[in-house]
Amino acid sequence: AQSVTQPDIHITVSEGASLELRCNYSYGATPYLFWYVQSPGQGLQLLLKYFSGDTLVQGIKGFEAEFKRSQSSFNLRKPSVHWSDAAEYFCAVNTGTASKLTFGTGTRLQVTL
Amino acid sequence: ETGVTQTPRHLVMGMTNKKSLKCEQHLGHNAMYWYKQSAKKPLELMFVYSLEERVENNSVPSRFSPECPNSSHLFLHLHTLQPEDSALYLCASSSSRLAGGFAGELFFGEGSRLTVL
């Protein structure tokens, strides 16, 4: 079965600084990969997804992620963080065999001014 | 209304109560999901209704009972819950893979925060 690991439970960055959130997956083939964001009191919203092709994908709100097959990783990045980016970020995978996602435990991002 | 709407947003119940959570989607999707979100744990998929098929997570206790009367509505019936069932319950919808539409994008409601005393 596939699994997702987000090794950082909590990250704090200063506004304007760059950000990288880590995600590693375990699956025999290349899964479909996703990043979701959850603001306080809200449901989850899709930031971006990777199915195939270009390994650098662009998402909403200025986020991007890079798929690295050799490292089984799909890290999320943003060049300059805004205070409104403070939220919890979830990496997820789908193996394409069913309409369901397997989520990581999430990384809580705190942004200091 | 648009999107995915969940009611109630907050629910406090005793262990002997019976209550229901409701989810409604106005996105024209044909798959709906219940997820459980507990602190420091991955989101746990509880149930999937896809084109009126039901997919269960066999680890979900029988005190949780889903109902999907049509593609726009989903319920989670709760009875004789335990304190460890306290969590945020998230409803989501998507296009169904069986209909050739699943692209991994789930649309979530804001959740129902359940507290079991």
Side-chain angles (χ1 to χ4, degrees), chain A residues 34 36 38 41-44 46 49 51 90 97-101 103 105, chain B residues 9 33 35 37 42-43 45 88 90 97 102-106 108-110:
Chain A
F34 309 85
Y36 281 79
Q38 184 179 30
Q42 303 293 314
L44 281 72
L46 181 68
K49 59 188 177 185
F51 281 8
F90 295 90
T97 58
S99 299
K100 58 182 180 179
L101 300 180
F103 287 87
T105 51
Chain B
R9 292 293 309 278
Y33 311 75
Y35 278 88
Q37 186 175 30
L43 270 74
L45 177 63
L88 182 68
L90 291 166
R97 182 188 67 84
F102 183 66
E105 181 161 12
L106 300 179
F108 284 85
E110 295 179 326

PDB file of all heavy atoms in Angstrom, chain A residues 34 36 38 41-44 46 49 51 90 97-101 103 105, chain B residues 9 33 35 37 42-43 45 88 90 97 102-106 108-110:
ATOM      1  N   PHE A  34      -0.123  15.178  -4.792  1.00  0.00           N
ATOM      2  CA  PHE A  34      -0.917  16.381  -4.549  1.00  0.00           C
ATOM      3  C   PHE A  34      -0.408  17.101  -3.312  1.00  0.00           C
ATOM      4  O   PHE A  34       0.132  16.493  -2.383  1.00  0.00           O
ATOM      5  CB  PHE A  34      -2.394  16.021  -4.306  1.00  0.00           C
ATOM      6  CG  PHE A  34      -2.974  15.120  -5.351  1.00  0.00           C
ATOM      7  CD1 PHE A  34      -2.823  13.751  -5.276  1.00  0.00           C
ATOM      8  CD2 PHE A  34      -3.684  15.656  -6.415  1.00  0.00           C
ATOM      9  CE1 PHE A  34      -3.355  12.915  -6.248  1.00  0.00           C
ATOM     10  CE2 PHE A  34      -4.232  14.831  -7.384  1.00  0.00           C
ATOM     11  CZ  PHE A  34      -4.067  13.458  -7.306  1.00  0.00           C
ATOM     12  N   TYR A  36      -2.261  19.831  -0.600  1.00  0.00           N
ATOM     13  CA  TYR A  36      -3.453  20.538  -0.150  1.00  0.00           C
ATOM     14  C   TYR A  36      -3.072  21.472   0.994  1.00  0.00           C
ATOM     15  O   TYR A  36      -2.124  21.218   1.737  1.00  0.00           O
ATOM     16  CB  TYR A  36      -4.511  19.558   0.362  1.00  0.00           C
ATOM     17  CG  TYR A  36      -5.314  18.866  -0.703  1.00  0.00           C
ATOM     18  CD1 TYR A  36      -4.795  17.790  -1.411  1.00  0.00           C
ATOM     19  CD2 TYR A  36      -6.603  19.292  -0.994  1.00  0.00           C
ATOM     20  CE1 TYR A  36      -5.541  17.154  -2.385  1.00  0.00           C
ATOM     21  CE2 TYR A  36      -7.364  18.654  -1.973  1.00  0.00           C
ATOM     22  CZ  TYR A  36      -6.820  17.596  -2.658  1.00  0.00           C
ATOM     23  OH  TYR A  36      -7.567  16.974  -3.624  1.00  0.00           O
ATOM     24  N   GLN A  38      -4.810  23.680   4.364  1.00  0.00           N
ATOM     25  CA  GLN A  38      -5.964  23.845   5.252  1.00  0.00           C
ATOM     26  C   GLN A  38      -5.734  25.047   6.155  1.00  0.00           C
ATOM     27  O   GLN A  38      -4.869  25.018   7.028  1.00  0.00           O
ATOM     28  CB  GLN A  38      -6.195  22.592   6.098  1.00  0.00           C
ATOM     29  CG  GLN A  38      -7.436  22.664   6.969  1.00  0.00           C
ATOM     30  CD  GLN A  38      -7.644  21.399   7.783  1.00  0.00           C
ATOM     31  OE1 GLN A  38      -6.689  20.718   8.153  1.00  0.00           O
ATOM     32  NE2 GLN A  38      -8.899  21.052   8.049  1.00  0.00           N
ATOM     33  N   GLY A  41      -9.950  26.463  10.679  1.00  0.00           N
ATOM     34  CA  GLY A  41     -11.406  26.450  10.593  1.00  0.00           C
ATOM     35  C   GLY A  41     -11.960  26.164   9.221  1.00  0.00           C
ATOM     36  O   GLY A  41     -13.167  26.313   8.993  1.00  0.00           O
ATOM     37  N   GLN A  42     -11.104  25.750   8.324  1.00  0.00           N
ATOM     38  CA  GLN A  42     -11.541  25.518   6.945  1.00  0.00           C
ATOM     39  C   GLN A  42     -11.302  24.067   6.535  1.00  0.00           C
ATOM     40  O   GLN A  42     -10.586  23.318   7.201  1.00  0.00           O
ATOM     41  CB  GLN A  42     -10.766  26.429   5.981  1.00  0.00           C
ATOM     42  CG  GLN A  42     -10.890  27.911   6.286  1.00  0.00           C
ATOM     43  CD  GLN A  42     -12.289  28.417   6.068  1.00  0.00           C
ATOM     44  OE1 GLN A  42     -12.920  28.123   5.052  1.00  0.00           O
ATOM     45  NE2 GLN A  42     -12.796  29.189   7.021  1.00  0.00           N
ATOM     46  N   GLY A  43     -11.899  23.706   5.419  1.00  0.00           N
ATOM     47  CA  GLY A  43     -11.572  22.427   4.823  1.00  0.00           C
ATOM     48  C   GLY A  43     -10.283  22.523   4.031  1.00  0.00           C
ATOM     49  O   GLY A  43      -9.608  23.556   4.033  1.00  0.00           O
ATOM     50  N   LEU A  44      -9.925  21.461   3.357  1.00  0.00           N
ATOM     51  CA  LEU A  44      -8.693  21.440   2.571  1.00  0.00           C
ATOM     52  C   LEU A  44      -8.944  21.960   1.160  1.00  0.00           C
ATOM     53  O   LEU A  44     -10.011  21.741   0.585  1.00  0.00           O
ATOM     54  CB  LEU A  44      -8.147  20.013   2.478  1.00  0.00           C
ATOM     55  CG  LEU A  44      -7.387  19.476   3.689  1.00  0.00           C
ATOM     56  CD1 LEU A  44      -8.305  19.180   4.852  1.00  0.00           C
ATOM     57  CD2 LEU A  44      -6.596  18.225   3.303  1.00  0.00           C
ATOM     58  N   LEU A  46      -7.025  22.267  -2.767  1.00  0.00           N
ATOM     59  CA  LEU A  46      -5.932  21.783  -3.602  1.00  0.00           C
ATOM     60  C   LEU A  46      -5.017  22.929  -4.024  1.00  0.00           C
ATOM     61  O   LEU A  46      -5.480  23.932  -4.552  1.00  0.00           O
ATOM     62  CB  LEU A  46      -6.491  21.091  -4.848  1.00  0.00           C
ATOM     63  CG  LEU A  46      -5.464  20.513  -5.812  1.00  0.00           C
ATOM     64  CD1 LEU A  46      -4.733  19.333  -5.181  1.00  0.00           C
ATOM     65  CD2 LEU A  46      -6.127  20.084  -7.122  1.00  0.00           C
ATOM     66  N   LYS A  49      -0.975  19.625  -8.304  1.00  0.00           N
ATOM     67  CA  LYS A  49      -0.954  18.175  -8.476  1.00  0.00           C
ATOM     68  C   LYS A  49       0.031  17.808  -9.576  1.00  0.00           C
ATOM     69  O   LYS A  49       0.311  18.605 -10.481  1.00  0.00           O
ATOM     70  CB  LYS A  49      -2.341  17.651  -8.826  1.00  0.00           C
ATOM     71  CG  LYS A  49      -2.927  18.237 -10.104  1.00  0.00           C
ATOM     72  CD  LYS A  49      -4.383  17.819 -10.282  1.00  0.00           C
ATOM     73  CE  LYS A  49      -4.972  18.475 -11.531  1.00  0.00           C
ATOM     74  NZ  LYS A  49      -6.433  18.192 -11.669  1.00  0.00           N
ATOM     75  N   PHE A  51       0.746  14.572 -12.271  1.00  0.00           N
ATOM     76  CA  PHE A  51       0.335  13.295 -12.837  1.00  0.00           C
ATOM     77  C   PHE A  51       1.455  12.704 -13.676  1.00  0.00           C
ATOM     78  O   PHE A  51       1.777  11.523 -13.556  1.00  0.00           O
ATOM     79  CB  PHE A  51      -0.920  13.472 -13.696  1.00  0.00           C
ATOM     80  CG  PHE A  51      -2.202  13.563 -12.912  1.00  0.00           C
ATOM     81  CD1 PHE A  51      -2.191  13.657 -11.534  1.00  0.00           C
ATOM     82  CD2 PHE A  51      -3.432  13.562 -13.544  1.00  0.00           C
ATOM     83  CE1 PHE A  51      -3.362  13.748 -10.799  1.00  0.00           C
ATOM     84  CE2 PHE A  51      -4.611  13.637 -12.824  1.00  0.00           C
ATOM     85  CZ  PHE A  51      -4.588  13.730 -11.453  1.00  0.00           C
ATOM     86  N   PHE A  90      -0.791  19.590   3.508  1.00  0.00           N
ATOM     87  CA  PHE A  90      -0.866  18.142   3.425  1.00  0.00           C
ATOM     88  C   PHE A  90      -0.415  17.669   2.051  1.00  0.00           C
ATOM     89  O   PHE A  90      -0.904  18.154   1.032  1.00  0.00           O
ATOM     90  CB  PHE A  90      -2.296  17.653   3.670  1.00  0.00           C
ATOM     91  CG  PHE A  90      -2.812  17.914   5.053  1.00  0.00           C
ATOM     92  CD1 PHE A  90      -3.473  19.097   5.348  1.00  0.00           C
ATOM     93  CD2 PHE A  90      -2.629  16.984   6.057  1.00  0.00           C
ATOM     94  CE1 PHE A  90      -3.947  19.344   6.631  1.00  0.00           C
ATOM     95  CE2 PHE A  90      -3.099  17.220   7.338  1.00  0.00           C
ATOM     96  CZ  PHE A  90      -3.767  18.402   7.621  1.00  0.00           C
ATOM     97  N   THR A  97      -5.918   3.826  -8.883  1.00  0.00           N
ATOM     98  CA  THR A  97      -6.790   2.657  -8.968  1.00  0.00           C
ATOM     99  C   THR A  97      -8.138   2.875  -8.286  1.00  0.00           C
ATOM    100  O   THR A  97      -9.002   2.055  -8.348  1.00  0.00           O
ATOM    101  CB  THR A  97      -6.126   1.431  -8.317  1.00  0.00           C
ATOM    102  OG1 THR A  97      -5.824   1.752  -6.950  1.00  0.00           O
ATOM    103  CG2 THR A  97      -4.839   1.082  -9.038  1.00  0.00           C
ATOM    104  N   ALA A  98      -8.272   3.972  -7.613  1.00  0.00           N
ATOM    105  CA  ALA A  98      -9.528   4.244  -6.918  1.00  0.00           C
ATOM    106  C   ALA A  98      -9.638   5.739  -6.696  1.00  0.00           C
ATOM    107  O   ALA A  98      -8.649   6.467  -6.756  1.00  0.00           O
ATOM    108  CB  ALA A  98      -9.581   3.505  -5.589  1.00  0.00           C
ATOM    109  N   SER A  99     -10.850   6.142  -6.435  1.00  0.00           N
ATOM    110  CA  SER A  99     -11.088   7.564  -6.229  1.00  0.00           C
ATOM    111  C   SER A  99     -10.834   7.946  -4.780  1.00  0.00           C
ATOM    112  O   SER A  99     -11.721   8.371  -4.079  1.00  0.00           O
ATOM    113  CB  SER A  99     -12.530   7.898  -6.619  1.00  0.00           C
ATOM    114  OG  SER A  99     -12.759   7.604  -7.964  1.00  0.00           O
ATOM    115  N   LYS A 100      -9.618   7.761  -4.311  1.00  0.00           N
ATOM    116  CA  LYS A 100      -9.316   8.154  -2.946  1.00  0.00           C
ATOM    117  C   LYS A 100      -7.857   8.533  -2.821  1.00  0.00           C
ATOM    118  O   LYS A 100      -7.017   8.099  -3.595  1.00  0.00           O
ATOM    119  CB  LYS A 100      -9.655   7.040  -1.966  1.00  0.00           C
ATOM    120  CG  LYS A 100      -8.936   5.740  -2.225  1.00  0.00           C
ATOM    121  CD  LYS A 100      -9.378   4.685  -1.227  1.00  0.00           C
ATOM    122  CE  LYS A 100      -8.671   3.370  -1.453  1.00  0.00           C
ATOM    123  NZ  LYS A 100      -9.081   2.341  -0.463  1.00  0.00           N
ATOM    124  N   LEU A 101      -7.579   9.382  -1.857  1.00  0.00           N
ATOM    125  CA  LEU A 101      -6.239   9.875  -1.607  1.00  0.00           C
ATOM    126  C   LEU A 101      -5.744   9.372  -0.259  1.00  0.00           C
ATOM    127  O   LEU A 101      -6.517   9.230   0.680  1.00  0.00           O
ATOM    128  CB  LEU A 101      -6.212  11.401  -1.593  1.00  0.00           C
ATOM    129  CG  LEU A 101      -6.650  12.120  -2.869  1.00  0.00           C
ATOM    130  CD1 LEU A 101      -6.562  13.631  -2.666  1.00  0.00           C
ATOM    131  CD2 LEU A 101      -5.784  11.697  -4.040  1.00  0.00           C
ATOM    132  N   PHE A 103      -3.273  10.631   2.650  1.00  0.00           N
ATOM    133  CA  PHE A 103      -2.669  11.878   3.103  1.00  0.00           C
ATOM    134  C   PHE A 103      -1.527  11.635   4.080  1.00  0.00           C
ATOM    135  O   PHE A 103      -1.519  10.656   4.829  1.00  0.00           O
ATOM    136  CB  PHE A 103      -3.718  12.753   3.804  1.00  0.00           C
ATOM    137  CG  PHE A 103      -4.718  13.382   2.882  1.00  0.00           C
ATOM    138  CD1 PHE A 103      -5.863  12.704   2.519  1.00  0.00           C
ATOM    139  CD2 PHE A 103      -4.520  14.663   2.382  1.00  0.00           C
ATOM    140  CE1 PHE A 103      -6.801  13.283   1.669  1.00  0.00           C
ATOM    141  CE2 PHE A 103      -5.446  15.258   1.535  1.00  0.00           C
ATOM    142  CZ  PHE A 103      -6.586  14.558   1.174  1.00  0.00           C
ATOM    143  N   THR A 105       0.651  13.356   7.435  1.00  0.00           N
ATOM    144  CA  THR A 105       0.181  13.886   8.713  1.00  0.00           C
ATOM    145  C   THR A 105       0.142  15.397   8.744  1.00  0.00           C
ATOM    146  O   THR A 105      -0.378  15.980   9.687  1.00  0.00           O
ATOM    147  CB  THR A 105       1.066  13.389   9.860  1.00  0.00           C
ATOM    148  OG1 THR A 105       2.427  13.645   9.533  1.00  0.00           O
ATOM    149  CG2 THR A 105       0.875  11.893  10.088  1.00  0.00           C
TER     150      THR A 105
ATOM    151  N   ARG B   9     -21.732  22.622  12.175  1.00  0.00           N
ATOM    152  CA  ARG B   9     -20.297  22.895  12.234  1.00  0.00           C
ATOM    153  C   ARG B   9     -19.695  22.392  13.545  1.00  0.00           C
ATOM    154  O   ARG B   9     -18.520  22.006  13.585  1.00  0.00           O
ATOM    155  CB  ARG B   9     -20.035  24.394  12.102  1.00  0.00           C
ATOM    156  CG  ARG B   9     -20.364  24.981  10.735  1.00  0.00           C
ATOM    157  CD  ARG B   9     -19.431  24.447   9.632  1.00  0.00           C
ATOM    158  NE  ARG B   9     -18.027  24.575   9.982  1.00  0.00           N
ATOM    159  CZ  ARG B   9     -17.316  25.682   9.852  1.00  0.00           C
ATOM    160  NH1 ARG B   9     -17.877  26.768   9.368  1.00  0.00           N
ATOM    161  NH2 ARG B   9     -16.030  25.716  10.203  1.00  0.00           N
ATOM    162  N   TYR B  33     -17.274  11.673   0.003  1.00  0.00           N
ATOM    163  CA  TYR B  33     -16.370  11.024   0.949  1.00  0.00           C
ATOM    164  C   TYR B  33     -16.587  11.554   2.357  1.00  0.00           C
ATOM    165  O   TYR B  33     -16.921  12.725   2.543  1.00  0.00           O
ATOM    166  CB  TYR B  33     -14.901  11.349   0.589  1.00  0.00           C
ATOM    167  CG  TYR B  33     -14.523  11.154  -0.848  1.00  0.00           C
ATOM    168  CD1 TYR B  33     -14.924  12.061  -1.823  1.00  0.00           C
ATOM    169  CD2 TYR B  33     -13.727  10.084  -1.235  1.00  0.00           C
ATOM    170  CE1 TYR B  33     -14.567  11.898  -3.154  1.00  0.00           C
ATOM    171  CE2 TYR B  33     -13.343   9.911  -2.565  1.00  0.00           C
ATOM    172  CZ  TYR B  33     -13.774  10.826  -3.510  1.00  0.00           C
ATOM    173  OH  TYR B  33     -13.399  10.668  -4.829  1.00  0.00           O
ATOM    174  N   TYR B  35     -14.096  11.893   5.672  1.00  0.00           N
ATOM    175  CA  TYR B  35     -12.774  11.760   6.260  1.00  0.00           C
ATOM    176  C   TYR B  35     -12.846  12.142   7.731  1.00  0.00           C
ATOM    177  O   TYR B  35     -13.574  13.047   8.111  1.00  0.00           O
ATOM    178  CB  TYR B  35     -11.766  12.709   5.589  1.00  0.00           C
ATOM    179  CG  TYR B  35     -11.176  12.213   4.298  1.00  0.00           C
ATOM    180  CD1 TYR B  35     -11.797  12.458   3.087  1.00  0.00           C
ATOM    181  CD2 TYR B  35      -9.971  11.509   4.290  1.00  0.00           C
ATOM    182  CE1 TYR B  35     -11.243  12.012   1.896  1.00  0.00           C
ATOM    183  CE2 TYR B  35      -9.405  11.060   3.097  1.00  0.00           C
ATOM    184  CZ  TYR B  35     -10.057  11.320   1.910  1.00  0.00           C
ATOM    185  OH  TYR B  35      -9.498  10.886   0.734  1.00  0.00           O
ATOM    186  N   GLN B  37     -10.495  13.657  10.748  1.00  0.00           N
ATOM    187  CA  GLN B  37      -9.234  14.353  11.015  1.00  0.00           C
ATOM    188  C   GLN B  37      -9.028  14.481  12.509  1.00  0.00           C
ATOM    189  O   GLN B  37      -9.736  15.212  13.182  1.00  0.00           O
ATOM    190  CB  GLN B  37      -9.219  15.731  10.355  1.00  0.00           C
ATOM    191  CG  GLN B  37      -7.866  16.428  10.488  1.00  0.00           C
ATOM    192  CD  GLN B  37      -7.801  17.750   9.733  1.00  0.00           C
ATOM    193  OE1 GLN B  37      -8.807  18.442   9.574  1.00  0.00           O
ATOM    194  NE2 GLN B  37      -6.620  18.118   9.265  1.00  0.00           N
ATOM    195  N   PRO B  42      -2.794  11.226  10.225  1.00  0.00           N
ATOM    196  CA  PRO B  42      -3.195  11.510   8.838  1.00  0.00           C
ATOM    197  C   PRO B  42      -4.710  11.502   8.719  1.00  0.00           C
ATOM    198  O   PRO B  42      -5.405  10.845   9.505  1.00  0.00           O
ATOM    199  CB  PRO B  42      -2.593  10.341   8.055  1.00  0.00           C
ATOM    200  CG  PRO B  42      -1.608   9.709   8.955  1.00  0.00           C
ATOM    201  CD  PRO B  42      -2.052   9.966  10.339  1.00  0.00           C
ATOM    202  N   LEU B  43      -5.195  12.223   7.736  1.00  0.00           N
ATOM    203  CA  LEU B  43      -6.620  12.144   7.456  1.00  0.00           C
ATOM    204  C   LEU B  43      -6.978  10.693   7.162  1.00  0.00           C
ATOM    205  O   LEU B  43      -6.322  10.015   6.383  1.00  0.00           O
ATOM    206  CB  LEU B  43      -6.984  13.004   6.246  1.00  0.00           C
ATOM    207  CG  LEU B  43      -7.371  14.447   6.514  1.00  0.00           C
ATOM    208  CD1 LEU B  43      -6.152  15.273   6.864  1.00  0.00           C
ATOM    209  CD2 LEU B  43      -8.096  15.037   5.315  1.00  0.00           C
ATOM    210  N   LEU B  45      -9.603   8.115   5.654  1.00  0.00           N
ATOM    211  CA  LEU B  45     -10.770   7.940   4.812  1.00  0.00           C
ATOM    212  C   LEU B  45     -11.699   6.937   5.457  1.00  0.00           C
ATOM    213  O   LEU B  45     -11.314   5.802   5.745  1.00  0.00           O
ATOM    214  CB  LEU B  45     -10.353   7.448   3.423  1.00  0.00           C
ATOM    215  CG  LEU B  45     -11.483   7.163   2.457  1.00  0.00           C
ATOM    216  CD1 LEU B  45     -12.270   8.429   2.144  1.00  0.00           C
ATOM    217  CD2 LEU B  45     -10.949   6.543   1.175  1.00  0.00           C
ATOM    218  N   LEU B  88     -12.532  16.175  13.928  1.00  0.00           N
ATOM    219  CA  LEU B  88     -13.142  16.961  12.860  1.00  0.00           C
ATOM    220  C   LEU B  88     -13.508  15.999  11.732  1.00  0.00           C
ATOM    221  O   LEU B  88     -12.647  15.257  11.246  1.00  0.00           O
ATOM    222  CB  LEU B  88     -12.170  18.027  12.357  1.00  0.00           C
ATOM    223  CG  LEU B  88     -12.700  18.961  11.261  1.00  0.00           C
ATOM    224  CD1 LEU B  88     -13.805  19.869  11.813  1.00  0.00           C
ATOM    225  CD2 LEU B  88     -11.567  19.803  10.685  1.00  0.00           C
ATOM    226  N   LEU B  90     -14.667  15.596   8.009  1.00  0.00           N
ATOM    227  CA  LEU B  90     -14.656  16.351   6.758  1.00  0.00           C
ATOM    228  C   LEU B  90     -15.376  15.569   5.670  1.00  0.00           C
ATOM    229  O   LEU B  90     -15.135  14.380   5.473  1.00  0.00           O
ATOM    230  CB  LEU B  90     -13.219  16.628   6.312  1.00  0.00           C
ATOM    231  CG  LEU B  90     -12.418  17.598   7.170  1.00  0.00           C
ATOM    232  CD1 LEU B  90     -10.937  17.512   6.829  1.00  0.00           C
ATOM    233  CD2 LEU B  90     -12.913  19.015   6.967  1.00  0.00           C
ATOM    234  N   ARG B  97     -13.936   8.441 -10.605  1.00  0.00           N
ATOM    235  CA  ARG B  97     -12.990   7.776 -11.506  1.00  0.00           C
ATOM    236  C   ARG B  97     -13.729   6.881 -12.484  1.00  0.00           C
ATOM    237  O   ARG B  97     -13.372   6.808 -13.652  1.00  0.00           O
ATOM    238  CB  ARG B  97     -11.995   6.950 -10.702  1.00  0.00           C
ATOM    239  CG  ARG B  97     -10.945   6.258 -11.556  1.00  0.00           C
ATOM    240  CD  ARG B  97     -10.116   5.301 -10.734  1.00  0.00           C
ATOM    241  NE  ARG B  97     -10.889   4.170 -10.267  1.00  0.00           N
ATOM    242  CZ  ARG B  97     -11.108   3.084 -10.999  1.00  0.00           C
ATOM    243  NH1 ARG B  97     -10.652   3.001 -12.218  1.00  0.00           N
ATOM    244  NH2 ARG B  97     -11.813   2.091 -10.501  1.00  0.00           N
ATOM    245  N   PHE B 102     -12.122  11.427 -12.298  1.00  0.00           N
ATOM    246  CA  PHE B 102     -11.344  11.697 -11.098  1.00  0.00           C
ATOM    247  C   PHE B 102      -9.967  12.208 -11.463  1.00  0.00           C
ATOM    248  O   PHE B 102      -9.223  11.560 -12.189  1.00  0.00           O
ATOM    249  CB  PHE B 102     -11.228  10.441 -10.241  1.00  0.00           C
ATOM    250  CG  PHE B 102     -10.493  10.684  -8.953  1.00  0.00           C
ATOM    251  CD1 PHE B 102     -11.037  11.503  -7.980  1.00  0.00           C
ATOM    252  CD2 PHE B 102      -9.262  10.120  -8.711  1.00  0.00           C
ATOM    253  CE1 PHE B 102     -10.379  11.735  -6.783  1.00  0.00           C
ATOM    254  CE2 PHE B 102      -8.585  10.336  -7.525  1.00  0.00           C
ATOM    255  CZ  PHE B 102      -9.145  11.143  -6.557  1.00  0.00           C
ATOM    256  N   ALA B 103      -9.618  13.363 -10.980  1.00  0.00           N
ATOM    257  CA  ALA B 103      -8.298  13.928 -11.239  1.00  0.00           C
ATOM    258  C   ALA B 103      -7.584  14.240  -9.951  1.00  0.00           C
ATOM    259  O   ALA B 103      -6.656  15.034  -9.928  1.00  0.00           O
ATOM    260  CB  ALA B 103      -8.425  15.184 -12.091  1.00  0.00           C
ATOM    261  N   GLY B 104      -8.012  13.644  -8.875  1.00  0.00           N
ATOM    262  CA  GLY B 104      -7.350  13.834  -7.592  1.00  0.00           C
ATOM    263  C   GLY B 104      -7.797  15.054  -6.844  1.00  0.00           C
ATOM    264  O   GLY B 104      -7.351  15.296  -5.733  1.00  0.00           O
ATOM    265  N   GLU B 105      -8.663  15.842  -7.446  1.00  0.00           N
ATOM    266  CA  GLU B 105      -9.064  17.041  -6.735  1.00  0.00           C
ATOM    267  C   GLU B 105     -10.326  16.769  -5.933  1.00  0.00           C
ATOM    268  O   GLU B 105     -11.397  16.528  -6.509  1.00  0.00           O
ATOM    269  CB  GLU B 105      -9.299  18.210  -7.682  1.00  0.00           C
ATOM    270  CG  GLU B 105      -9.688  19.487  -6.925  1.00  0.00           C
ATOM    271  CD  GLU B 105      -9.505  20.753  -7.724  1.00  0.00           C
ATOM    272  OE1 GLU B 105      -9.300  20.660  -8.948  1.00  0.00           O
ATOM    273  OE2 GLU B 105      -9.559  21.839  -7.119  1.00  0.00           O
ATOM    274  N   LEU B 106     -10.172  16.800  -4.666  1.00  0.00           N
ATOM    275  CA  LEU B 106     -11.293  16.713  -3.752  1.00  0.00           C
ATOM    276  C   LEU B 106     -11.687  18.114  -3.322  1.00  0.00           C
ATOM    277  O   LEU B 106     -10.826  18.952  -3.064  1.00  0.00           O
ATOM    278  CB  LEU B 106     -10.929  15.893  -2.512  1.00  0.00           C
ATOM    279  CG  LEU B 106     -10.501  14.447  -2.730  1.00  0.00           C
ATOM    280  CD1 LEU B 106     -10.166  13.793  -1.396  1.00  0.00           C
ATOM    281  CD2 LEU B 106     -11.583  13.666  -3.442  1.00  0.00           C
ATOM    282  N   PHE B 108     -13.483  20.021  -0.401  1.00  0.00           N
ATOM    283  CA  PHE B 108     -13.837  19.756   0.990  1.00  0.00           C
ATOM    284  C   PHE B 108     -14.810  20.781   1.534  1.00  0.00           C
ATOM    285  O   PHE B 108     -14.760  21.970   1.187  1.00  0.00           O
ATOM    286  CB  PHE B 108     -12.588  19.771   1.875  1.00  0.00           C
ATOM    287  CG  PHE B 108     -11.732  18.544   1.752  1.00  0.00           C
ATOM    288  CD1 PHE B 108     -10.784  18.447   0.752  1.00  0.00           C
ATOM    289  CD2 PHE B 108     -11.875  17.497   2.649  1.00  0.00           C
ATOM    290  CE1 PHE B 108      -9.987  17.310   0.643  1.00  0.00           C
ATOM    291  CE2 PHE B 108     -11.084  16.372   2.553  1.00  0.00           C
ATOM    292  CZ  PHE B 108     -10.137  16.278   1.554  1.00  0.00           C
ATOM    293  N   GLY B 109     -15.651  20.309   2.444  1.00  0.00           N
ATOM    294  CA  GLY B 109     -16.408  21.218   3.279  1.00  0.00           C
ATOM    295  C   GLY B 109     -15.539  21.711   4.426  1.00  0.00           C
ATOM    296  O   GLY B 109     -14.378  21.317   4.562  1.00  0.00           O
ATOM    297  N   GLU B 110     -16.119  22.568   5.251  1.00  0.00           N
ATOM    298  CA  GLU B 110     -15.361  23.143   6.362  1.00  0.00           C
ATOM    299  C   GLU B 110     -15.287  22.219   7.570  1.00  0.00           C
ATOM    300  O   GLU B 110     -14.547  22.484   8.512  1.00  0.00           O
ATOM    301  CB  GLU B 110     -15.960  24.493   6.750  1.00  0.00           C
ATOM    302  CG  GLU B 110     -15.819  25.536   5.640  1.00  0.00           C
ATOM    303  CD  GLU B 110     -16.425  26.864   6.019  1.00  0.00           C
ATOM    304  OE1 GLU B 110     -17.441  26.880   6.733  1.00  0.00           O
ATOM    305  OE2 GLU B 110     -15.885  27.903   5.583  1.00  0.00           O
TER     306      GLU B 110
END
